[in-house]
Each structure stands twice: as C-alpha cells, then as structure tokens.
Amino acid sequence: AVVSTQSTGSIEHSGREEGGVNEVSLRVAVSEASRHSFGMNVNSDRGLNDGNFNMYGLARNLFGRLESLKVNYVKGTKISDGCSVIFNKPLFSQKNSDFKIVLAKENMLNRTANYMTSDMKSNMTYQFPMLGGKNQLQAEALWQQIHGGRVPMKIREEFGHHLKCALRHTYVRDTRDDLLVPSRGTKHMLETELAGFMGDVNHVKVSAESQFNARFILGYSATLSVRGGVVHELGDNPRTWITDKFFCGGPGSVRGFYEDGIGRPLGGTMHWGAGFSLTRKLPFSPHIWGLGKYMRVHHFANAGNVGSCKDELIKDPRVSVGSGLIMKIANFRMEINYAVPIRHQPDDVVNHGLQFGIGINFM
C-alpha cells in the first residue's frame, strides 16, 4: 500500500566519537500521500498486444490500517468496456500478505473466433509468500454470457448464459534480473483451477510455465522457455466451454503465426509450447538515442501444438524460426520480428514475414 509520495533523507555528524568511530544521525522526512486521488493510466494485463485505458478513483487508509478502495473504468483492445470495485487490505500478521475483494463487470471481444462475452464476477484473493515465491489463493464466481455474430456452429451451440464457481491457486517464483529482457535467472509458474461447485462448468485446469536465462558467448544471453496446460473434465456430462480452452500461436508464443492461429477457432483442452532465443545488445553506445540501452537483437526458434488428446499434441507440431529487434518501452516489451514458419498445417493462420508484438510475457 502507498502511504507516502515524497521522502528525503539527510545524514548529519553528531561531532562525538567513541572508540575511533564517528557517530552520525540519519533523518528521513516523509510526506503522506493524499487519502483520495483520481487518475488515468495505460496498462497491459490481459496478454499480448493488449492495451487498456483506465480512469480510477482511489481512497486510501479507510480505517487506519492501510486499507484501500478503488473504483475503475476500463476501455481497451480486448476489453470493450468494463468497471470494477476493488477493496484491498494488507495483513500485518504476515509479511508481504494481503486480502482483496473484487466486483467487476466486463464486455470482451474475442477477435479470433468473432464472439463476445459479457462477464459479471466477484472474487476474493489472499496473497502470501511461501516456498520461495508468491502464492495466490482465489475463490471466484462468474456469470458469463457468450454471444456474437458469424461463428462456427460448435461455438454457436455454446451461446447463452453460464455460471462458473471455482477455486484457484497460483504459484510464481521469479529470480530473473529483468522482467522484460532477462539475461540470467529463472521463472516458474503453476496455476491450478478447480471448478464445479455450482453452475455448468466442471473441470480441473492446470497451466505451467518455466523460463531459464543464462549468459552465453559473444555477449549473447540465452533463454529457454517451456509451457503447457491441460483441462480434465469432471462430472457425468463433462463439457469445456470455449472460454476455458487453450489456444496457441502469435508473437508471444509460437511466432510466425497470427494470435491463436494454431487450433483456431475451436481451441483444445491440451497445449504445449517451447522456445529458445538468443539476445544481444546492439553495438551502439547507450548515449546514441538510447539504442544500446533499450534495444536488443533477437534470434529465436519456437515450437508448439494444441489439441484435445495426446496423439494430437504429438502429431504435426508447428515450428518457426526468425530474427528481429526487442525494445523496452516503459513497462512493456516490444518486438519486431521476421518469422518463417517451417512446419504448419493447412488450417493454421500463418504470418510469414514481419510480425509485431507488445506485452510483458513472451516465450
């Protein structure tokens, strides 16, 4: 929680000396943040090539224990429009832990399959450190309506209202030296979701991701990324709605394909992806327009697949290679690559040539 906006420090010599050691006094002046604020910002929290414009009002320290209440309106590339109310309370009994309650309504457009979802949801989240990483426990209730225009009949059969009640646990351990363009360190993520307490969604969904970074030769840094996921359906009448299925392809996963271009438009209940890349700073001085500091050259090889059974995952994996440039812009990573798909299927939506991507999480 933010409790101050400005802080200044000063060191003063006391003039006294004991045992050959001079005593000093450290003084820190802190200005308390306003208890009420309004603002606007742009962020990306829904994945690749996603941008959101937010207008919000924030009330801090509601009951004197650093509680906060935030009302937010958002309009973006994937969220057509939405609003949310977020209550957050730090838990002082445990270090780096907090409790959050969210009420939200969102309208989202899925450009891959040309359908829309209208969501009303509420969730409670408990965040705490354990096993050397960050843990998040969440209980969520989601009332979702799927609707749209010209879509395949299998998607049209899912049109209507759906209720999902789920418990979710997320574990993240990140030791990378840079969140956007790391040169060393690792990241591991495991997310498990159990749905089926109420409503018409019954499954266990598991997603995992690992990334390994290390210094290489000739000034290069090497990155190896692997990810995968599976949905196991439960109940007497198992069914997985399209909003819970996996898709693959795009600048953030298997480059050389359009976003979700592998498995479009129905997706699958299993997926995997792997990538190896070499990055190096450009041979320019950092003072020349910031080229040496914020830009890197990038060479990559990606592979992945999506399906609904093990045979589909193993058979005919998609593969691509290419090179390009990486740029760090504020809190985003932007890539401009020339990608060459060397293995694909007739139903895939291939993007052979220049490809642009901006976001946070890349493979």
Side-chain angles (χ1 to χ4, degrees):
V2 178
V3 295
S4 63
T5 55
Q6 295 181 352
S7 61
T8 58
S10 62
I11 299 177
E12 300 178 357
H13 292 275
S14 63
R16 293 183 298 176
E17 182 176 342
E18 293 186 4
V21 179
N22 293 323
E23 292 187 357
V24 296
S25 298
L26 174 63
R27 298 184 179 182
V28 180
V30 178
S31 300
E32 183 179 2
S34 173
R35 299 191 65 172
H36 302 90
S37 62
F38 300 89
M40 297 178 290
N41 62 30
V42 177
N43 65 12
S44 176
D45 60 2
R46 295 281 170 161
L48 198 73
N49 291 349
D50 165 49
N52 295 326
F53 172 74
N54 299 274
M55 298 178 61
Y56 64 88
L58 178 64
R60 298 184 179 90
N61 208 22
L62 294 176
F63 309 113
R65 302 285 290 177
L66 297 183
E67 303 88 353
S68 65
L69 182 67
K70 184 177 182 180
V71 179
N72 186 71
Y73 172 79
V74 58
K75 193 170 185 65
T77 56
K78 293 188 177 180
I79 302 178
S80 301
D81 60 270
C83 58
S84 61
V85 179
I86 304 170
F87 174 77
N88 188 82
K89 176 176 173 53
L91 301 178
F92 297 103
S93 58
Q94 296 187 25
K95 185 179 180 181
N96 298 325
S97 301
D98 61 12
F99 178 73
K100 183 187 299 182
I101 298 176
V102 177
L103 302 174
K105 185 181 187 307
E106 297 175 346
N107 297 311
M108 298 181 61
L109 172 64
N110 186 295
R111 292 183 174 86
T112 301
N114 195 33
Y115 68 87
M116 289 194 66
T117 58
S118 298
D119 299 347
M120 295 183 64
K121 63 182 178 181
S122 63
N123 61 57
M124 296 183 295
T125 305
Y126 172 45
Q127 298 180 350
F128 60 98
M130 184 181 287
L131 301 176
K134 297 179 180 179
N135 292 261
Q136 184 180 90
L137 284 175
Q138 185 178 82
E140 181 179 77
L142 169 65
W143 181 17
Q144 183 177 77
Q145 181 186 9
I146 304 177
H147 55 96
R150 297 180 179 179
V151 297
M153 182 56 65
K154 289 188 177 181
I155 298 179
R156 185 173 293 275
E157 292 174 354
E158 302 182 11
F159 279 13
H161 295 270
H162 306 287
L163 177 62
K164 174 182 176 180
C165 296
L167 292 177
R168 190 177 298 112
H169 173 259
T170 305
Y171 170 79
V172 178
R173 177 180 172 86
D174 195 343
T175 62
R176 297 175 298 173
D177 58 348
D178 191 291
L179 298 180
L180 299 178
V181 190
S183 60
R184 60 178 179 269
T186 62
K187 176 189 176 182
H188 305 286
M189 186 278 295
L190 176 65
E191 182 179 285
T192 306
E193 176 184 278
L194 174 61
F197 303 98
M198 294 176 60
D200 56 353
V201 180
N202 299 277
H203 65 231
V204 175
K205 183 177 182 180
V206 180
S207 300
E209 178 180 344
S210 290
Q211 185 182 100
F212 306 88
N213 302 275
R215 304 276 188 178
F216 203 53
I217 60 175
L218 302 177
Y220 279 94
S221 297
T223 299
L224 174 65
S225 301
V226 291
R227 61 178 61 167
V230 60
V231 178
H232 179 67
E233 299 166 333
L234 304 173
D236 298 331
N237 186 24
R239 184 163 189 179
T240 301
W241 305 113
I242 190 170
T243 50
D244 285 313
K245 290 184 178 180
F246 296 109
F247 292 85
C248 191
S253 58
V254 183
R255 299 170 178 88
F257 296 82
Y258 280 95
E259 187 173 2
D260 298 340
I262 301 174
R264 184 186 290 195
L266 301 178
T269 56
M270 301 178 182
H271 88 104
W272 67 270
F276 179 76
S277 63
L278 295 173
T279 61
R280 187 187 188 280
K281 291 183 179 180
L282 290 175
F284 297 109
S285 169
H287 306 290
I288 302 178
W289 304 315
L291 294 178
K293 184 177 181 181
Y294 299 107
M295 298 183 65
R296 289 173 178 258
V297 65
H298 180 217
H299 313 288
F300 61 86
N302 297 143
N305 211 346
V306 63
S308 297
C309 64
K310 294 181 181 179
D311 292 338
E312 293 181 1
L313 285 183
I314 300 173
K315 182 181 179 182
D316 298 325
R318 281 68 163 181
V319 182
S320 66
V321 296
S323 298
L325 293 175
I326 298 175
M327 286 159 279
K328 291 176 62 176
I329 302 176
N331 296 323
F332 303 101
R333 166 172 165 168
M334 185 173 72
E335 290 188 5
I336 301 177
N337 297 314
Y338 189 90
V340 180
I342 59 177
R343 190 164 184 175
H344 58 88
Q345 299 303 313
D347 295 336
D348 297 336
V349 187
V350 177
N351 184 8
H352 187 139
L354 289 176
Q355 190 172 38
F356 170 83
I358 185 169
I360 299 174
N361 191 21
F362 288 79
M363 186 170 70

